Amino acid sequence: MLITYLCPKHADWVYNNPEQALHVMARDEMQGTMLMQSGQLSEAIPYLGCAFDIAVILLEVDGGENSAMTSKIMSLTSLLEDIYFHLRLTHYRNAIVDRAHRIIEASNNIANNEIPLRFAV
């Protein structure tokens, strides 16, 4: 199961507007976190998921070597994993963790000049 949150149109926008996307990512992360903390778990998923996908694209745009974006991906993964756990959505929980691990592994391979960069969004 491949889990994504951004539609192709919005993903293209992120590729073409990385500086603005950074602000959208922060806004979505904050909104999702506030919803999560207020117990509105299902409502938090789209915000945190979009922030996750934006972070993945920004990591790709930066050539896979942005450690801050790698950390952001892992923290968003942790939030989404926690929500899916509490909602008992095991397949989604596994899917987001698997996707994050593949992205981080690909990023590490890029940093070591082992493979060309291309993440799936």
Side-chain angles (χ1 to χ4, degrees), residues 32-113:
T33 301
M34 288 180 1
L35 287 165
M36 182 181 176
Q37 291 173 346
S38 68
Q40 299 176 60
L41 301 181
S42 294
E43 292 82 358
I45 292 171
Y47 291 100
L48 295 173
C50 286
F52 176 92
D53 277 353
I54 292 169
V56 169
I57 293 170
L58 294 177
L59 179 62
E60 181 180 352
V61 167
D62 286 344
E65 298 182 5
N66 185 331
S67 62
M69 208 52 61
T70 300
S71 295
K72 180 62 66 187
I73 289 168
M74 294 311 295
S75 76
L76 289 164
T77 299
S78 180
L79 293 172
L80 287 163
E81 178 185 17
D82 192 44
I83 289 172
Y84 289 134
F85 173 79
H86 288 307
L87 294 175
R88 298 180 183 177
L89 296 170
T90 307
H91 293 304
Y92 289 96
R93 181 179 181 215
N94 293 340
I96 195 64
V97 170
D98 290 346
R99 182 168 173 225
H101 284 209
R102 284 192 309 273
I103 290 163
I104 301 306
E105 183 179 328
S107 177
N108 290 338
N109 289 338
I110 298 309
N112 296 329
N113 295 316

